[in-house]
Amino acid sequence: MGDPRPVDGVDQCEPGACEESSLITTDSFEEFSHEINSLPAEPECVNQQPLESGTDGAAIPDDKIIDDDRGSEADSSSITKLPDGLPSDQAPDGAMSKSSSFSSARSREFDASTTSLAETNEATGSGSVPPGAEAETGDYLHDVEFLNRKRHVFILSTAGKPIYSMHGNEDKLATLFGVMQALVSFIQSGNDTIKSIHAAGVKFVFLVKSPLILVAVSRTSHSVQQIQLQLTDVYNQILSTLTLSQMIKTFERRKNFDLRRLLAGSERLIDHLLVSDKCDHKLVSNNPFSFMTHSVRILPLVPSVRETVVSAIQSNCAKIKNLVFAVLIANNKLIALVRMKKYFIHPADLRLIFNLIECSESFKSAESWTPLCLPKFDSSGFLHAHVSYLAEDCQACLLLLSIERDVFYTLSEAKRKITEKLRRSNCLEAINDAINNKGIKLLNIGIPEIRHFLYKSKSNAQLLCSELTVPYSSSEQFKRLEGMYFRLHHKIHNSGRPVKLIYQMKEKEVMLAWVTQAYELFVTFEPTVEKNEVISLVNKLLKWIKKEENSLFILSAPTF
């Protein structure tokens, strides 16, 4: 397949690009590697897709991958890389991604102690405990329903004190928490850091952020790095409630302190951030692609309406001292962002803001004044947020974030004036119409051969998604689409062999991932689309995005 770079001048366009952004746009994977520089960039024991050859066995250029797995939902083969010193007959069970100081015997010991979590649905066989048995035994590690969850997240202190479990009561998992703490301590005693363990098709992923240890157990298609990034989001969610300095001081005074006392009531924020199995399809569809691409979704608006919104915020907030950010959001999408000069906000911090608003129904009934730490902005202190919806007849939420504690009434008055101006200019109705719009309809664009796409503009960290339609409108099929996108994203950003283009022919669809200096594009096509058609369809999509970019993206960086 040739490079699908447009040949009619479109190659020079960068849809959604802007000279200055209000968002910090540092490449998330570079930033992640810098933050966790003690860890290897990729696991040494991980199942990877075959990247070395194409469908006909010919070599593929370093920046392209062509993969054909029609006839099989799973990829046709895999390559398993084993850590040094681990016999092949023991892999991948008990294999560790950083195990130079971890013996095979110790690996088998861990495998035995955690075998319940590593077993798949076959655990319902001989000797298993039926659902609900944990209520009698008090031990989740013998509860089939608990064990069969596809994902678990556990948080504990470095002293081994339970803090959080994604499913169930952490007090009934004392044995498991003890094993996790012992593993981390054992590896640290050898001046090493544990990253992941792979056993019986399950990934155990660790993120050590002293004084906390975060562990994920996953049977999903997410890579180790993607899971660690999600654990980082969870860690940031905790900091948004406590601040890093407060948490460190607390544990310095008492190493065995029960952090749940300070986090009481905020567990729902962590639950929602993780998008647990209990979340409905609406919530699931709002979150994962922004997380995957480390970007922010924008609510499409007529440019004049967005300009009026920004103008209303600027004119009523410019003279308020120490107001850092004004953020207007709806349905997990950004409508407008105005900032103090020289200050920027990180997409990870915006995700925490979206998560807070989505989880808190109380904000809809009254104006609120709440402390909020944005860890990427300043992990050591709180901003004070005035939070309120614009009006009863407009469910867009406005956050005014200041470093001052005593300006609630000042910000309340500013919000009232902003709403009045937007009502007079009919912007509230325009925002409501945009909120009720389900998304970009590919049929209306004239490219029905494309089922779904994701487009990220790198220069402003903004994401564009098309509407979810058949066959991906059901929860089960959406999860399948999500998994395919995450696998493509991991392949194209694999630090061991980064590529620019992946073309993948699957049984039920054709997939394309294309990364340039300006954007990332992930497209799902009808299964009948041929390679030569992909080029023209992608060009047509990029032309449309460029034509509509003023409505689809925020192309300016307004300040107070």
Side-chain angles (χ1 to χ4, degrees), residues 308-321 323 325-328 367 369 386-391 398-402 407-424 560:
T308 302
V309 172
V310 169
S311 175
I313 294 173
Q314 288 174 317
S315 61
N316 290 286
C317 295
K319 295 182 179 180
I320 300 176
K321 185 179 179 182
L323 183 62
F325 297 114
V327 185
L328 184 62
E367 296 179 334
W369 185 242
H386 178 277
V387 185
S388 62
Y389 283 76
L390 289 180
L398 178 65
L399 295 93
L400 303 175
L401 295 100
S402 172
V407 291
F408 173 85
Y409 293 106
T410 302
L411 298 181
S412 177
E413 179 64 14
K415 178 261 178 181
R416 185 186 64 80
K417 292 180 179 179
I418 290 169
T419 300
E420 287 179 355
K421 182 173 181 178
L422 296 182
R423 190 179 296 281
R424 288 195 304 269
F560 297 119

Side-chain angles (χ1 to χ4, degrees), residues 319-536:
K319 295 182 179 180
I320 300 176
K321 185 179 179 182
N322 293 327
L323 183 62
V324 184
F325 297 114
V327 185
L328 184 62
I329 64 176
N331 284 359
N332 284 317
K333 299 182 183 70
L334 184 64
I335 299 173
L337 171 62
V338 186
R339 60 188 174 84
M340 184 185 289
K341 292 179 181 178
K342 299 183 180 180
Y343 288 101
F344 299 86
I345 195 166
H346 197 285
D349 285 341
L350 273 177
R351 283 200 299 275
L352 297 180
I353 291 175
F354 290 161
N355 193 53
L356 173 67
I357 301 306
E358 190 73 24
C359 286
S360 306
E361 288 292 323
S362 60
F363 290 143
K364 293 182 179 180
S365 59
E367 296 179 334
S368 300
W369 185 242
T370 181
L372 179 65
C373 174
L374 300 180
K376 293 290 187 179
F377 178 74
D378 179 9
S379 63
S380 63
F382 288 108
L383 290 173
H384 300 275
H386 178 277
V387 185
S388 62
Y389 283 76
L390 289 180
E392 290 185 2
D393 58 341
C394 183
Q395 294 301 294
C397 187
L398 178 65
L399 295 93
L400 303 175
L401 295 100
S402 172
I403 62 174
E404 298 288 344
R405 298 187 180 196
D406 305 318
V407 291
F408 173 85
Y409 293 106
T410 302
L411 298 181
S412 177
E413 179 64 14
K415 178 261 178 181
R416 185 186 64 80
K417 292 180 179 179
I418 290 169
T419 300
E420 287 179 355
K421 182 173 181 178
L422 296 182
R423 190 179 296 281
R424 288 195 304 269
S425 56
N426 296 320
C427 286
L428 297 186
E429 291 84 351
I431 291 173
N432 283 337
D433 290 343
I435 292 174
N436 294 329
N437 191 335
K438 292 184 179 180
I440 298 168
K441 295 176 174 57
L442 292 162
L443 191 61
N444 294 346
I445 302 175
I447 41 178
E449 300 89 346
I450 295 179
R451 289 179 171 180
H452 190 266
F453 77 86
L454 307 173
Y455 176 93
K456 175 191 175 181
S457 172
K458 287 186 173 181
S459 67
N460 55 22
Q462 295 176 20
L463 179 68
L464 185 62
C465 304
S466 62
E467 179 187 8
L468 284 170
T469 58
V470 175
Y472 308 118
S473 51
S474 70
S475 180
E476 180 181 354
Q477 289 300 313
F478 170 78
K479 278 294 186 182
R480 189 173 69 84
L481 177 68
E482 177 192 349
M484 291 188 293
Y485 277 143
F486 268 87
R487 283 189 289 270
L488 278 177
H489 188 271
H490 175 57
K491 283 183 179 181
I492 212 158
H493 288 285
N494 190 318
S495 63
R497 187 186 176 187
V499 294
K500 295 180 181 178
L501 177 68
I502 298 176
Y503 175 81
Q504 188 178 65
M505 294 176 286
K506 302 184 74 68
E507 181 181 15
K508 297 181 179 180
E509 52 269 299
V510 171
M511 309 285 292
L512 175 76
W514 186 23
V515 174
T516 72
Q517 291 184 344
Y519 56 81
E520 295 183 12
L521 180 65
F522 298 86
V523 189
T524 304
F525 301 88
E526 293 287 344
T528 55
V529 171
E530 299 295 334
K531 283 184 287 186
N532 60 343
E533 292 182 86
V534 167
I535 299 173
S536 61

Side-chain angles (χ1 to χ4, degrees), residues 124-135:
T124 57
S126 175
S128 63
V129 179
E134 62 83 18

Side-chain angles (χ1 to χ4, degrees), residues 32 99 160 171 224 242 247 257-259 262 284 311 351 398 416 450 475 482 517 554 558:
F32 181 70
S99 56
D171 286 329
V224 169
L242 303 178
M247 185 171 65
F257 182 79
D258 188 347
L259 198 64
L262 298 180
V284 171
S311 175
R351 283 200 299 275
L398 178 65
R416 185 186 64 80
I450 295 179
S475 180
E482 177 192 349
Q517 291 184 344
I554 297 176

Side-chain angles (χ1 to χ4, degrees), residues 236-254:
N236 287 337
Q237 182 66 70
I238 293 175
L239 295 189
S240 75
T241 305
L242 303 178
T243 77
L244 179 60
S245 55
Q246 180 186 359
M247 185 171 65
I248 290 176
K249 288 178 181 177
T250 298
F251 280 106
E252 283 178 348
R253 289 193 297 265
R254 286 183 56 192

